Amino acid sequence: MSINFSNLPELPADDLTYAVDIFDGFDRFTEPTSISAPHGFGQAPSGHQAPLEPVEGSVPEVSTSAGRATTSDHRQHLNKLAQKRFRERQRVRSCTLEAQLDQTSAQLRDLQDVQTRLKTRNILLEKLVELNKQAGPLSGPSVLPDNATVTDLYKSRGFKAVPDPLLAMTRNVSALNLTVRHDVAQLIPVQDVGKLSLREFAKIYTAYTHQMAACLADDSGDDSPAMHRLQQLTDECWTLIVIIGLTHVSGVKDLQDCNMGEGVACPDAKQPEFYCAIMATMQHSDPQIQDLLYLRQLFYGKLGQLARERTALLSNMTCYKIDESHISDKVAQLTQWSEQLRENAAEEHQSYKQFSSAFYRGIHTSKQLAVAQVCGFPWLPAVNKMLEAEAVRRGEPPMRILLEDTTLDDLENAANWADVATYLTTITFQELLLGTCVVKIVSCSITR
């Protein structure tokens, strides 16, 4: 079927104007899209992309992958800057807190030192009041003519040398000059010191402690007359104690169990807190603490060596069989072992004396000894218990561990303790007065 267009009326040319105007404003839809269009309708020829002009006010278009990469890099850069700023703030804050901590710690240490000094002074003043109430006439022992010297006294006890450095300097003196009473100079022959009764010694000890407390309460400086008098009192009193420990039947043990205020012996029931408090009042420096703990290590190493030697000797004597054959040789062998046991016991006793001398004379100052004596009154503090209390407080190995320690052989332990004995002979009188001597046994191989 065919359509005949010839009969249609002809429209005037002006009538097409409206038809053309219909497409006005649709030019933007002629841009290339995903829909293909015939050549010549809004597209360039094949192989050429028609340049597009951006619409005014629009954002330039970028490819999806390139846009994502740019955004990711920018975000990483911002994160790095934020992390850097955070770390810088943390560093500044950490430095500020450390500075505040150091300042606060220093202030705390200063306050603790002040508290310790005030507490010690308070104790000293309380003891001084107590001693003022007990003060009375001092009656000395009977003075017997005797020319025995300190050296003779030590030799009578089996010592080859005088272990106490101060006594070694006065070994040829046959009498002690006690100045505890200012109005009367009291001379006591060395041989008569052992004849002092416990009550007589308690009176002398109390008088010395009383004057020491008065000197400590003066607190007018280390170079004051009171401090010089304190040094003299301390040296006299502890020399007297050392000699009594040698001449008295029970040694220092009776003195340590004696209530000096009453002159009566009592069982030693003092708790470790008592000795810890005394050590705290002495206000040790760090080098002194190191020397004390090192001395303790050497001392128990020496005692452990002597204990193992004694055990071996007793084992030999127990297992030794005596029969009728060669009986004289076997008796001689037993006699030799017995003599070795006696020497072992004498060496242990001498080690105790050397340990006490190193503790009192080799490490502490006269002022520290006087503080310990006054604060411990009416008791005479035991050296080993004071040191054990300090060792426990600082977490040091217990005595049993040190006695059984075999890290060093017995020859090394003996050599180490021989260095302590040698050191005691090198202390000068000036060092004793100034309190500048400390244990310096550099040849010992024990690690602190």
Side-chain angles (χ1 to χ4, degrees):
M1 178 178 174
S2 61
I3 300 176
N4 188 5
F5 295 97
S6 60
N7 295 327
L8 294 175
E10 296 182 0
L11 295 175
D14 295 335
D15 292 340
L16 295 174
T17 304
Y18 180 77
V20 173
D21 292 339
I22 292 176
F23 296 97
D24 247 13
F26 283 85
D27 294 346
R28 62 181 181 275
F29 295 105
T30 63
E31 294 175 1
T33 63
S34 59
I35 304 175
S36 60
H39 175 67
F41 194 82
Q43 287 189 353
S46 177
H48 297 278
Q49 181 69 32
L52 301 178
E53 296 181 2
V55 180
E56 183 179 355
S58 64
V59 179
E61 295 185 0
V62 293
S63 65
T64 304
S65 59
R68 288 178 180 175
T70 304
T71 304
S72 176
D73 292 343
H74 183 62
R75 186 177 294 112
Q76 288 180 3
H77 178 66
L78 292 178
N79 288 339
K80 289 180 179 179
L81 290 178
Q83 292 173 2
K84 182 178 180 180
R85 289 194 293 268
F86 176 77
R87 287 193 296 268
E88 182 64 20
R89 289 195 301 271
Q90 289 292 93
R91 186 187 66 80
V92 173
R93 179 174 175 79
S94 177
C95 293
T96 303
L97 291 177
E98 287 180 1
Q100 293 176 351
L101 178 61
D102 293 340
Q103 183 180 4
T104 305
S105 299
Q107 292 175 350
L108 178 61
R109 286 193 297 269
D110 293 340
L111 290 175
Q112 287 175 338
D113 292 341
V114 171
Q115 181 189 22
T116 302
R117 288 195 296 270
L118 292 176
K119 181 187 262 187
T120 302
R121 182 166 179 78
N122 186 45
I123 295 174
L124 292 173
L125 292 175
E126 290 177 353
K127 294 292 183 180
L128 181 59
V129 171
E130 179 183 346
L131 289 165
N132 283 334
K133 294 178 181 179
Q134 296 181 0
L138 178 63
S139 59
S142 59
V143 178
L144 301 177
D146 201 322
N147 294 324
T149 64
V150 173
T151 304
D152 297 332
L153 179 59
Y154 272 96
K155 286 183 177 180
S156 67
R157 295 295 178 179
F159 286 83
K160 297 179 180 179
V162 180
D164 187 273
L166 186 60
L167 291 180
M169 297 170 196
T170 58
R171 56 184 175 270
N172 295 323
V173 176
S174 59
L176 300 181
N177 185 16
L178 305 183
T179 62
V180 69
R181 295 185 64 184
H182 296 289
D183 54 341
V184 178
Q186 189 174 10
L187 287 174
I188 302 181
V190 171
Q191 196 64 29
D192 284 351
V193 174
K195 299 177 183 179
L196 286 171
S197 67
L198 201 57
R199 186 174 295 274
E200 288 173 332
F201 173 78
K203 288 183 178 181
I204 297 176
Y205 184 87
T206 301
Y208 271 108
T209 308
H210 187 186
Q211 289 198 26
M212 289 179 187
C215 292
L216 290 169
D218 183 279
D219 196 19
S220 54
D222 292 339
D223 199 29
S224 63
M227 289 299 104
H228 288 292
R229 174 62 178 160
L230 182 68
Q231 292 173 351
Q232 182 183 15
L233 293 170
T234 305
D235 291 337
E236 289 179 6
C237 186
W238 285 98
T239 298
L240 185 65
I241 292 173
V242 170
I243 292 181
I244 287 181
L246 286 170
T247 58
H248 204 266
V249 177
S250 302
V252 182
K253 187 178 185 308
D254 284 348
L255 302 182
Q256 294 172 345
D257 294 340
C258 178
N259 184 325
M260 297 298 175
E262 301 176 1
V264 178
C266 305
D268 185 5
K270 295 178 285 296
Q271 299 299 319
E273 291 77 12
F274 169 78
Y275 297 102
C276 285
I278 293 177
M279 292 293 284
T281 59
M282 297 174 78
Q283 301 180 33
H284 296 95
S285 64
D286 290 338
Q288 283 182 316
I289 291 296
Q290 293 176 0
D291 289 335
L292 286 171
L293 297 178
Y294 189 42
L295 176 65
R296 174 178 177 265
Q297 189 175 2
L298 294 177
F299 176 59
Y300 287 127
K302 176 63 176 179
L303 292 188
Q305 170 231 324
L306 294 174
R308 287 186 290 272
E309 290 179 358
R310 187 163 52 250
T311 301
L313 289 171
L314 292 173
S315 177
N316 291 337
M317 295 178 69
T318 303
C319 299
Y320 199 62
K321 296 181 180 180
I322 300 180
D323 51 27
E324 296 181 357
S325 60
H326 305 287
I327 190 170
S328 59
D329 295 338
K330 294 182 177 180
V331 169
Q333 180 63 64
L334 287 174
T335 303
Q336 181 182 357
W337 284 338
S338 300
E339 180 63 22
Q340 290 175 351
L341 278 175
R342 189 195 66 78
E343 292 176 355
N344 182 281
E347 188 174 358
E348 184 177 67
H349 178 69
Q350 183 170 352
S351 298
Y352 272 104
K353 297 300 180 184
Q354 291 168 336
F355 167 70
S356 299
S357 296
F359 181 89
Y360 287 122
R361 308 291 195 187
I363 297 177
H364 292 102
T365 64
S366 298
K367 184 176 180 180
Q368 287 174 318
L369 295 181
V371 168
Q373 181 171 331
V374 173
C375 293
F377 189 83
W379 308 102
L380 176 63
V383 180
N384 58 325
K385 293 183 179 180
M386 291 171 63
L387 193 51
E388 283 307 298
E390 185 68 19
V392 170
R393 190 177 74 84
R394 295 182 176 272
E396 291 293 313
M399 175 180 62
R400 178 181 57 82
I401 298 298
L402 295 179
L403 288 172
E404 298 175 356
D405 185 19
T406 55
T407 304
L408 299 178
D409 58 33
D410 290 342
L411 289 178
E412 288 177 303
N413 285 320
N416 288 340
W417 193 251
D419 288 334
V420 175
T422 302
Y423 159 73
L424 291 175
T425 63
T426 64
I427 299 177
T428 64
F429 187 73
Q430 187 67 16
E431 287 176 329
L432 288 174
L433 291 180
L434 298 178
T436 57
C437 46
V438 293
V439 176
K440 301 173 182 176
I441 310 170
V442 295
S443 61
C444 295
S445 57
I446 297 180
T447 303
R448 295 185 179 183

